[in-house]
Structures are given as structure tokens and as C-alpha cells.
Amino acid sequence: MSYQALYRVWRPHTLKDIAGQDHITKTLKNALVQQKLSHAYLFTGPRGTGKTSAAKILAKAVNCRHAPAEEPCNECDICRGISDGSIVDVMEIDAASNNGVDEIRDIRDKVRFAPNTAAYKVYIIDEVHMLTTGAFNALLKTLEEPPPHVMFILATTEPHKIPLTIISRCQRFDFKRITSHAMLARMQEIVAADEIAVEEDALSLVARVSQGGMRDALSLLDQAVSFAEGTITKEDILAIIGSVSQEHLYELVEAVHSGSVGEALKMIDEMMQTGKDANRLMEDVIFLLRDILMVKAAPQLEESQDRLHGDDSFRELSEKLEQAWLFQMMEKLNHFQQEMKWATHPQLFLEMFAVQASQQTTALPASGESAPQSSTVEALEQKIVHLERTVQKLQREGVPAASQPQAAEQPVKQEKRSRNTGPSQKSRAVAKQVERMLEHATKPQLQQVKSSWGNVLEQVKKQSMPASAWLNDCQPTAASEEYVVLVFRNEMHRSMIDEKFRELVESSASQQFGAAVTLLTILEADWEKVKENFKKRQKTSPSGEDNEESGEEAPPEEEKNPLIDEAVRLVGEDLLEIKE
Amino acid sequence: MQTWSELSETQPTIARVLQNSVRRGRLAHAYLFEGGRGTGRRAAALLLARAFLCEKTVDAEPCLVCRECRRAESGNHPDVHRIQPDGQTIKVDQIRALKKEFSMRGMESAKKVYIIEETETMSAAAANSLLKFLEEPEGEALAVLITASAGQILPTILSRAQVMSFSPLPPDRVTKALVERGFREKEARTAASLTSDLEEAERMFDEEWISQGREKVVQLMNDLISRPQDAYITVHETIMPFFTDRQQIQTALDLMMIWYRDVLRMQVGQSDAVVYIDQEDTLTKQAFQLSQQKLGKNLQAVMDAKRRAGANVPPQLLVEQLLLRLQEGS
């Protein structure tokens, strides 16, 4: 005899072995003892919950030599005969392959004959949902009033496909998904009997992922026994189902929640590279969020206590996430999970989830609890941002103007001059500002600006189409906490944005980045120069000269620049050779 | 793929589970191999069948020289049955025939193997009639069901079989292999992101198909942003004549999907993960112009189009509708 899978070996043979279906086993036991059996039963429920097993046990129990008793003895000749299929009075019919009217007619004809050896003729019709309409209807009369020695047991996973006329003629038993608690108990029994070494954690994980199907759980356990060397650990199970550890999940959820798409994408990439299953990951995230929701909603529940106990990072995470966010995420995840099942690139859905979910974080405050007021709130927010900016401007430019009239005059003059002398000069004036600002510019800031620049564009577009058209040509190239440098290729575009649409763009940007932002607009050519200068200074400053000195170094170049620029304008860059 | 150690290079977990099962004599009666094209499901199924049938296994490795092994490989073994879709689906009669075959004793030994390919195409009747048989086969039987995605299989079948998920090969690996065979990297990368099957990827290079298709999609994506009105003409003049059949339309959609993914990668500063490596400028430009929300929407639109492409929608309409959605609100 070849090896038999655990779930076949451990198919329950008595009613008490059926895990987690007490409401059914109790009823059946009482019916058996009191001899109040119906002539037709319908067992329904999801896969792996014990329908077929219960049917087989019931067939044995009614025919057992020791009947009436709660359980079949599994020892008498009849019980054994039924088990090995040598007694023809118990017939197990696969309705999926014998689904025609003819097969049912055959049953109907033979029903009348008395049983051979056993007391009852029992017909177990499995997968009964596959019968054709004709077959169902042919069965109706027989099912309602069979001869006294006949019993029908119908079993199916899809009760909605069964005609109501059939259902109403049967005693219906709904098998529930087995709770992880009941599953755990049954598995422990099996593990102990089979002498399989397995960690407690691993078992509860198995119970969790098999979602109430005992057969799934035992299949997985079977694989784990083959996979593991020695004791089965949690890691073994994780490896087999292609799942990631809880810690990684926490990190992923946190990244998504904090809105860092880049990080989340990187994590997903890494997980996929190591051969994790995208579907499984999606499911894990859903379950994690569900757990957090549960802990938040009902912290006193036993299950939530269990979950919180001894898992600090879980507690931390659950405190960080808001309920509204969780609900939205669950909805999204469910949607994606549905789509994912049919897709050939499941990873992409994960990535899309990461992108969309991260967006949610930034959009949440506006669409949070006071949805009807959101537009007014938004308007107020904008106003505040606007005010903030003016205050900052005043602080920066207005206050020194009082103390140092010279310095205040200069920008005014510059501005005047720039208006008179033409556009490129203005850009250069900004260039100076840009240079100063570069000292504070940081890479992460720029990254943040770059990644949400699209949002700014969209917002601008909402308010003014022409503004967004002018903006199309530019690129953010540097950013500090209060400044964003925009590089334009075309002077016309630059000046339009600088003069006409500055307010609009700045307010959208400020809103997007959550802090007041001032725009510095500059032409591409000037930007290149500024960059060069800055790089030069960067190189020279570590070699002894400190910042102030390098600050002094800038002005002479500033002097020089207009001349060269003028020359460039006159004869073109190609013909010029600059000598110091 | 001839040995377990070869399988374990790409699918370590699965190789270990299967090899240990054979070694310890705890082979289950039904397996379901799930995974994308080129992940080695079919080869693994054959390997398992040989290890099951071979009489002289050494440490669970089939000997590869005995009669059983050789005949299993050439497809002549009388006790190895293969079921493939008859037309579009696997019909219930095929399963009935299989069951009848299995109700008889094996030709030579008691062992019998059946391999069902493209299991997801089984008709509902076929799948249901397999259930009982799958759970409790008569005699020593080994079933291997092969499918592209387990989500499309009845849960009642899944729970009866041991599910082995074949993970896709990392694209880098395929890229490297392709570059080693003398293909240009930019195209190799694209091909690798489309399929993890090396041979299929190589076939894409026939007559420069992939590089042409790639150029065309890049042009379309470019037009969409810079010359939105012309995009429809591009579709009509370059895309549709080139991507003619349904399969190719799917590929075109895949290429678009990868494009948007790249834009996204660009936006979050992961330029090394980009597939269209020669298009960095355009990608950066688009990264500034599209918000992440819009990108998410675009990706969704391409996905939807992909699903429709599988459902007999005329390709021309499909692509045009997709373009409209991509330009929506922009």
C-alpha cells in the first residue's frame, strides 16, 4: 500500500472526531440514539469541513450492529464492510460524473429493493450541485417519500445551486468553517499520534492560513513534514506558502501609511525577488489590517488580547493607524485581491496598491470625517498657507529693510533694472538667490518634491489651465525646506510663471508639501552656471576656506557673468573663449 | 531539467518538498503546480513522474537510463497520461475517459500517473467530476495538475491537492542569460520583463520583433503626452498594423504597463529598476508631468484593457478606449 496523504489517513471515523461542528454532531448523535432519523439529509458548507465524512459516519451508524448508539463501532462486520466498500447497500455516488436523468432513474428503480445485508440502504450523493435540472426533478418524488429502508444524504459546497424543492425535502445541516481553535486541537491530536515534531507557532500558523478547511490544513502539514529536517518550525511553513514574516509586513504597512511610495515599492520588489507569492502577500496584509481593526474596535476580546500579547511592534503599529484609514485600505485591498486572482502579473497590483494607498495618506485629512465641509476647510487651509507665506516673506525681506536700508534697496533696484534691461538679467538675479539657497538644499527634499510634482501640476491645472501650460516646460531641480528651484528652458515661460502665476503655483506647492514654499525660477543656462559655481565651491571649501570666504568668492563671478552673457548673446557660445 | 538539484536552483522550496517526499516515501496522490510561463512546471511534473515510476532511484533522483525513465521522457509510457485542453477547454468526457482508464490496473506496474495541463481551462462539469476521483483515486496514482493561476481553480480542487507555487524567475536572471546570448541589453530587459521563459524570450527576438514593438510603444507613450491628438493616428498607423493578433495586443498592453511602472519608478527615484533603460529622459519628463494618482489610474486602465482583451473585444476599439482613459483629465 502506498503512502496516503494525512487528510485521507485521518478522515474522521466517529462523529466526535469531526472538528468544530458541534451543532451538527450533537443533533445527529441525539437523532441516532432516539431513532428519530430523517430519510433525507443535506450537508452543505465550504471545503474541508467534514460533509462527506459526516455522511459516511452516519451511513455506518444507522447500519451498525450496535445501533441504536451514538457512534458507529467501526469494528463490526457491517462497519468494516462499509469502510472498505464491500457492502453495496451504502452507495457513494459522485453526482458530478453521474449527473444525468438516467442515473437518477436508475437509483429510483433500485430504491424499491430491500437492502442486502445492512438494515438501511444509504445513498450518499456527493457534489450534488452538479445534477442537471432534469435529474433533480426526477429525484423529487423519491426524495420525499422513499421506502422505509432508504436514506439519502446529499452533500455539496454550493447549496445555492440546489432547487428549493430539494432543499425543503431534506433536513439541512450547514457546516461552518472550522475555527482555528478547533483546528488546532485536532491537529495536535494527529501530530501526537503520528509523532511529528512541530512547533506550537507553526501549527497555529497552519490553522490560520487554511481558513477553516481541515483538509487544507492537513495538506499543508503534509508538505511541511516533507520539507522540514527535524522539527517543523514557523519559518518552514512560511517558506512553503511563500509568505513573509510579520516584521516585514509591519514595515510595509508602515511605509504605505507614511506615504513613502519609493520605500514600499522597493520592499515589494525585494520580497518578490526572494520568491514570495504576491497573492499571499496581499492576503497577509489584509489579515494584518483586519487584526489591527479588531484590536482597535474590541480590545477586550480574547482574540485581540492574544494578538497584542508579546508583540510590541504590532501594538505600536496598531496605535499609529487610524480607523478611517484602515477601512479605506481594506476596501482597496479587497478590490485588488479580486482582480489579482485573474491577472498574470500579480505583482503589479501590489505596486498599484502601494501607490494608491500612499496617496490616500496625503488626501485623508481633507476627506476624513467632515466630508461636507471639506471644501471650506480646504479654502481655509489655503488661506492659512497663504498668510504663512506672507508672514515669512515679511520676516525675511521686510524686517531687514528697516534695519539695513541699503540691503533693502538693492533688490528693489535689481528688480527695476531687470524689468528694464531684459529678461535674462532677471533670471541671473535669481541665480544669486539660488546659489544661497543651494547651501540648504538636500537630496531627500528634492526627491520629495520630484515625486509629488505631478500632484502640484494637477492642482494648478484645476485652478488655471494656462498656468499649467506654462509650467509644462519646467523641472524642479533643487529644493530646500522653503525654496524650490524651477528650471525653465524658455524665458517666456519663466517670466509668465514668475510674474503672473507665482501666487497660484506657490500656494498649490505649499499645500502639497505641507509647508510654505517659495519658488525660484531660473533659466537653464543660468542654472548650469550656478551649478558649476556651486560645485567648484563645494570642492574648494573643504580645502581650508570656510563658507564665508566662498560666499565672497561668488560676487566677482557675479560681476563677470553679465559681460560674458552679453557676449554670448551677441556672438553665440560656440565662438567664445573665456580667459581669466 | 533532469534532476532535483537542477530544479532547486530556481525553485528551492518546491524541490526540497518533492525530493524529500519521494525519499521518505510520503508522496501525496495529487499535486497542483501553479506558476507563470517558463517557471519549469512542466519539467518538474515530468521529473516527479519519473522519480515516481523509476525503479532504480538513487536518493530520490531518477536514474534517467532505465526503461521507465526513458519512456516517460519520450511520452511513450503507457501509464503516464497527459490531458491537454481539447480546443478551448478540457471537456468532461476527457475526465470520464481518464477515470475509466484508471479504473483498470496499470499496464506494467500498479503505478499510474496523470498530468493535466492548463487545468484552469477545465469546464465546470469536468472540474467537478474530477473531485471525487482526485480525492480518493484507486490504486497507486499520482496526479499533477498544472495551471497558470490557482485563483481560477475550484477551491474544492485546491484543497484536495498539495499546491506548489512556482515563483517567477527574477527578470535580472533572464536578462543576463539573454545578454550572454548576444542580445542588446535594452531589449533583453524588456523581453525579460514580459516572460520568464528563456525560449519564449528568444523567440521574441525573431526578426527583431521585440525591438520594433518596443519602439512603437515608446512612440505611442511619447505621443500621448507631447502630441495627444496624434496618438490616435499613431495607433492607427503603427500600433495596430504591427500588433495584429490577440496575443500580440496583450504584449503591447504589457509593454505599456511596464512603461507606466517605469515612470513610477523614476518618480520615486529608483532609476536602476527601470526597464526602458534607454528612455530615461522621456521617463523623467513624464515623471514630472504625471501625478502618482494619475499613474495609478493609468495602470488601472491598462489592466482593465488587458482583461477586456481576453474577452473578445475588438482590438482597435480596445486600444482607442484605453487612450481616451489615459488622457482623461489631462
Side-chain angles (χ1 to χ4, degrees), chain A residues 3 11 92 97 222 226, chain B residues 20 24 26 99 132 135:
Chain A
Y3 174 75
R11 191 182 264 294
E92 207 180 320
S97 342
D222 227 346
S226 300
Chain B
N20 278 345
R24 298 177 193 169
R26 8 181 343 124
K99 280 205 238 179
K132 293 293 277 182
E135 183 166 22

Side-chain angles (χ1 to χ4, degrees), chain A residues 61-104:
Chain A
V62 291
N63 285 322
C64 179
R65 293 271 182 227
H66 301 279
E70 274 194 352
E71 304 268 9
C73 67
N74 284 320
E75 278 162 6
C76 65
D77 55 336
I78 294 203
C79 282
R80 272 185 287 138
I82 293 173
S83 292
D84 61 28
S86 62
I87 290 183
V88 290
D89 292 332
V90 173
M91 257 176 284
E92 207 180 320
I93 298 162
D94 174 16
S97 342
N98 309 300
N99 60 349
V101 175
D102 290 343
E103 280 91 354
I104 300 298

Side-chain angles (χ1 to χ4, degrees), chain B residues 175-220:
Chain B
T175 312
K176 234 170 100 189
L178 285 174
V179 171
E180 272 166 22
R181 298 187 186 194
F183 298 112
R184 266 167 300 174
E185 196 192 345
K186 58 173 185 172
E187 277 133 27
R189 258 184 191 240
T190 319
S193 63
L194 289 175
T195 174
S196 52
D197 186 351
L198 201 56
E199 270 150 42
E200 198 187 335
E202 259 184 284
R203 240 174 292 137
M204 285 190 191
F205 282 95
D206 283 353
E207 297 169 23
E208 300 279 297
W209 192 85
I210 184 73
S211 69
Q212 281 188 46
R214 191 172 170 280
E215 292 302 320
K216 292 189 161 123
V217 170
V218 168
Q219 190 197 338
L220 177 67

Side-chain angles (χ1 to χ4, degrees), chain A residues 261-277:
Chain A
V261 185
E263 207 172 309
L265 287 184
K266 209 183 238 165
M267 270 187 225
I268 292 174
D269 242 11
E270 270 165 24
M271 289 178 196
M272 295 300 119
Q273 291 276 340
T274 47
K276 303 298 180 198
D277 185 32

Side-chain angles (χ1 to χ4, degrees), chain A residues 1-8 11 46-48 52 56 92-99 126-127 129-130 157-158 161 194 196 215-216 218-230 236 239-241 259 261-263 265-266 269 272-277 279 335-336 339 341-345 347-349 351-352 355-356 358-359 447 449-458 461 472-476 489, chain B residues 12-14 16-18 20-21 23-31 34 36 92 96 99 124-141 148-152 154-156 158-165 167-168 170-172 193-195 254 257-258 261 264-270 273 281 284-285 287-297 299-301 303-304 306-307 329-330:
Chain A
M1 189 68 189
S2 70
Y3 174 75
Q4 279 209 327
L6 278 180
Y7 74 77
R8 286 172 70 190
R11 191 182 264 294
R47 82 260 114 80
T52 311
K56 284 180 178 168
E92 207 180 320
I93 298 162
D94 174 16
S97 342
N98 309 300
N99 60 349
D126 217 346
E127 318 298 346
H129 60 273
M130 287 309 288
T157 46
E158 298 175 62
K161 286 192 181 161
D194 259 12
I196 300 169
R215 189 168 44 213
D216 300 55
L218 292 183
S219 269
L220 186 54
L221 200 61
D222 227 346
Q223 286 184 47
V225 173
S226 300
F227 180 73
E229 316 280 349
D236 291 333
I240 292 172
I241 58 178
V261 185
E263 207 172 309
L265 287 184
K266 209 183 238 165
D269 242 11
M272 295 300 119
Q273 291 276 340
T274 47
K276 303 298 180 198
D277 185 32
N279 281 302
H335 169 75
F336 281 132
E339 302 241 318
K341 284 195 177 143
W342 302 90
T344 38
H345 289 254
Q347 187 187 346
L348 207 88
F349 284 99
E351 290 175 0
M352 256 162 67
V355 172
Q356 294 195 359
S358 309
Q359 286 299 317
Q447 195 52 58
V449 170
K450 273 188 176 173
S451 64
S452 46
W453 189 247
N455 288 345
V456 176
L457 281 186
E458 222 159 67
K461 186 176 283 169
N472 261 344
D473 172 46
C474 75
Q475 279 195 2
R489 250 177 248 152
Chain B
T13 318
I14 292 169
R16 191 164 147 199
V17 170
L18 292 180
N20 278 345
S21 301
R23 197 185 284 153
R24 298 177 193 169
R26 8 181 343 124
L27 211 53
H29 54 277
Y31 289 92
E34 176 225 14
V92 67
R96 287 216 181 109
K99 280 205 238 179
N128 276 292
S129 67
L130 186 64
L131 284 177
K132 293 293 277 182
F133 175 58
L134 188 65
E135 183 166 22
E136 288 175 345
E138 289 151 41
E140 264 191 272
S149 87
Q152 299 181 37
L154 272 188
T156 36
L158 290 183
S159 97
R160 279 167 171 81
Q162 291 198 4
V163 180
M164 307 267 159
S165 289
S167 47
D172 291 350
S193 63
L194 289 175
T195 174
D254 278 339
M257 205 162 69
I258 297 166
R261 229 170 95 177
L264 190 64
R265 289 290 150 87
M266 228 44 190
Q267 212 170 51
V268 297
Q270 295 172 355
D281 285 345
T284 336
K285 207 171 137 218
F288 288 127
Q289 282 168 350
L290 297 167
S291 67
Q292 279 175 6
Q293 211 169 353
K294 178 72 185 148
L295 274 175
K297 272 191 200 147
L299 276 172
Q300 179 79 54
M303 292 291 209
D304 289 348
K306 262 184 78 73
R307 211 179 41 219
S330 68

Side-chain angles (χ1 to χ4, degrees), chain A residues 512-562:
Chain A
Q512 197 54 239
F513 307 139
V517 172
T518 312
L519 289 184
L520 296 175
T521 55
I522 187 167
L523 278 182
E524 203 171 12
D526 293 323
W527 164 250
E528 289 302 324
K529 253 173 260 160
V530 170
K531 209 161 69 178
E532 284 296 301
N533 279 351
F534 184 69
K535 270 188 198 154
K536 236 185 263 167
R537 263 187 300 155
Q538 286 267 305
K539 263 180 221 158
T540 50
S541 62
S543 64
E545 301 170 49
D546 59 329
N547 272 344
E548 256 176 69
E549 242 174 301
S550 56
E552 271 167 43
E553 202 189 19
E557 287 211 54
E558 187 70 18
E559 299 283 9
K560 229 183 320 167
N561 280 347

Side-chain angles (χ1 to χ4, degrees), chain A residues 125-177:
Chain A
I125 309 183
D126 217 346
E127 318 298 346
V128 73
H129 60 273
M130 287 309 288
L131 286 184
T132 59
T133 336
F136 271 127
N137 288 328
L139 191 61
L140 281 177
K141 284 303 275 181
T142 326
L143 200 60
E144 186 166 19
E145 287 175 341
H149 57 260
V150 170
M151 182 186 216
F152 284 100
I153 306 177
L154 316 181
T156 178
T157 46
E158 298 175 62
H160 55 274
K161 286 192 181 161
I162 298 180
L164 294 174
T165 41
I166 293 272
I167 295 182
S168 78
R169 283 171 170 79
C170 303
Q171 267 191 28
R172 175 172 171 178
F173 288 92
D174 282 320
F175 285 67
K176 292 184 297 191
R177 293 193 169 195

